[in-house]
Amino acid sequence: MTANSEESRGIAGTSRLALLIGSALAFAVRMIPWRLTDTPNGPMLPDGDAYYHLRRVLDGIRHFPHILDFDRYMNFPVGAPPIWPPMLDRAVAALALVTGGSGDDAAATRLACLVPPVLGALAVLPTAWVAARLAGPAAAWITALGVALLPAHVAYSRFGFLDHHVAYSLVGMSLLALLASSGRNELSSRRWWPCVGVGALLGLGVACWPGAILFAPLLVLGAMTSWLPGSRDGGDGVRPVGETAVSFVIAAVVMWPDAATSHWSRRGEWTITTLSHLQPVLLCGGAALLGLLGMLRSMAHRRQWRPWRSMVSISAILLSLAAAAFATPSIRAAWEAARRWLTKDEDFQSRVLESLPLVLDHRGAWTLEFVGAFLGSWFWLAPLAWIALTLRAWHGTRMDRTLWIWFTALSILLVLQRRFGDLAGPLLVLGGAVAVSDMVLAFGDRLRASIRVRAGILVLFATALLLPGSLQTLRSLRSSDDPTAQGQVFAERRELLSLMRALRERSPETSGFHDSTQQPEYGVLGPWDVGHIITAVGRRPVVSNNFGDDIGQESFHDTIEFFRTEDPAVALEIATRREVRYVVSSLFYVRALTEDKRRRFQFRLHYADGREPKGPFFTDWRLLAETRFPEKEPAAAFKLWERVPAARLRGRTFPDQPVVAQARIRTNLGRTFPFATTTVSDGAGAYELRMPYCNEAGTWETGAVGAIQVRAPRLGLMTDLDVTESEVLAGSVLEVPELE
């Protein structure tokens, strides 16, 4: 099959129908969670990152065109800039303003939840278009349906998953489509719009997620394939390189406004892991280098230099520039940070599930279960697809070689980190569809099969490829109704949201939620992976959140140390230094602790209701609320604690006698547990006890049932005492009647 025959056929009517049906199906499938995640308080977003995107969108609506670039509600009490570029959030905020959602947070939230399904559906169009251009209508149908139902792509573009992943995937496939449209063999063609489009898309992609800079080397390699011996593209191959250079300059211009104002303090102004000055400078430098290489190539072509001379000259230039770049300490540090991020050689990245290799689970064990659930049958077809694309690249055009480069590079990145499934997944589908189409065509020609026989074979292949992924997609999207592990995650997420709404309504309001110039009065400490939800829903500042150590190594490690320490004094010191008033504890981090790790503070807070193993209770913390218990679990999914001064109970009894203050505590769910704190009177009979719970109806339902009892057990003496919430919060001194 030649490029000329493919291009002369163009996009047939059946291919256009495939694009439309595939896109409509993709939108419908991605909207399935709308019903499952709808709550009386609005949509329940499926991921913590989506909540922080929503926070920036809602804040951006109030301050448009400014998008929150320094947030005092994370890395508390210092604050930090968000690590994401503002482009996606600004675009959604602008869309909300245009559609009249500026005065209604609920309407703006619903609009933001619709953005991922729309972008996911749009991603079907360029992917299937490339398939139709390369391999005809059959490949277009398989690709359109495959991407529409691909679990990896649906996961990142389903209703409510507002994140840069789906935008990045759409940008990547649109870039590939533009390259296909500009990759004609007719040298007389002078169309300029693909070149401008590639530059604009690349700039927008990097402005949405800095990782999109990975497209740049792929574009360069694709352009330079025209220089390979035996290339069938014709000409001297200078024009593709020149177009790529112009695209780089346009991309740098597009991203420069946000890159120039970036003030990422931790990694400097030249980091590649966040949007900084480095990306536009790299692109401009790359454009200059491509221009220089193009000149050398043109001179070599006109003077008929031997290829090895051109290669030596090009290699010398590249090595000189690389040496100059790496001689700069800031640039060298930027590349080292990028290497550590990609290889998970960081404490935080090693804990992020989407940073895991494709075939490893969170314990580091080999597994293929996730691969099947994530990519369906397309993963197993990938080797065959790679072989088919290699044969095309060997004998085909620049576009064939470009597709092979993208397929190979993104497949490698996907194996290294799952996060690349949003783009590598559609490429696997595209490559598989092209491979199947080529294979059926080749066997059909050899066997002289009729069109009906070939169509039947294609239908069988398509069914085998599409069915497993389709079933997995539908199963995962509907799982929130089922008592499965995923369903339990949904249930626990609902409980957390309910707890955070209670925190927002019942705790003292903090300053600066929509004004980063104001300093909040106190902070909340919880597991880092629920930090975005605490901020967005609870509207309270957090010590650490889903950005991990990217916003502050000390805050991230303080959070880890707080929960893991076996010394309550260390946990109290961290909370005091970080100005923490509330703590959220999670069942997820304690349910799998082995016996030797059950002295950790997080276990004693969550499982033991704030008590030393077989010892006294903590008097610096009181339980405020707990969520419902998951099925077959001995503790709530989440608990909310408050650091309090505690009321001080002072009294007198006989010298050197143990004295106990005790109460029966009833939680907001009606569960009760005993609380007791003990001391020994001094030589004069004086004693002081700290009581963190009150026995009156306070702001929270959790409290003592009946009066607080103070007793001297050896003497058989006892007295009752009433403690108010204001006395607990103020650390008031209460005189206890003498136990004599």
Side-chain angles (χ1 to χ4, degrees), residues 8-229:
S8 64
R9 180 170 60 244
I11 305 299
T14 181
S15 297
R16 296 191 186 97
L17 185 61
L19 269 62
L20 294 176
I21 291 179
S23 185
L25 176 63
F27 181 77
V29 168
R30 286 152 179 77
M31 285 297 294
I32 290 176
W34 170 64
R35 179 181 62 84
L36 303 178
T37 60
D38 194 31
T39 70
N41 297 288
M44 182 180 68
L45 308 189
D47 183 75
D49 285 355
Y51 277 97
Y52 194 79
H53 277 290
L54 181 61
R55 160 161 167 69
R56 290 221 294 179
V57 168
L58 297 178
D59 188 83
I61 292 173
R62 290 172 170 80
H63 303 103
F64 195 83
H66 176 75
I67 297 296
L68 187 65
D69 57 3
F70 186 84
D71 195 352
R72 295 187 183 276
Y73 271 58
M74 60 185 182
N75 192 33
F76 185 80
V78 180
I83 66 173
W84 298 325
M87 180 61 71
L88 176 64
D89 302 322
R90 183 184 293 120
V92 178
L95 182 62
L97 289 170
V98 170
T99 56
S102 58
D104 186 351
D105 283 359
T109 299
R110 288 191 293 272
L111 176 66
C113 290
L114 286 171
V115 169
V118 171
L119 296 181
L122 290 176
V124 173
L125 300 177
T127 313
W129 189 89
V130 173
R133 190 173 188 84
L134 290 176
W141 276 101
I142 296 175
T143 302
L145 297 178
V147 176
L149 298 170
L150 181 68
H153 196 262
V154 173
Y156 283 113
S157 57
R158 64 191 186 273
F159 178 82
F161 202 107
L162 183 63
D163 205 356
H164 52 260
H165 289 284
V166 63
Y168 163 73
S169 176
L170 175 59
V171 166
M173 299 316 300
S174 299
L175 279 173
L176 204 58
L178 280 175
L179 293 176
S181 70
S182 63
R184 295 180 178 271
N185 289 338
E186 294 90 343
L187 297 177
S188 60
S189 174
R190 297 297 177 186
R191 295 179 303 166
W192 54 268
W193 63 266
C195 175
V196 175
V198 167
L201 280 174
L202 179 59
L204 290 173
V206 178
C208 284
W209 183 52
I213 196 70
L214 292 170
F215 292 137
L218 299 181
L219 292 171
V220 172
L221 292 174
M224 295 182 69
T225 57
S226 297
W227 297 9
L228 294 174

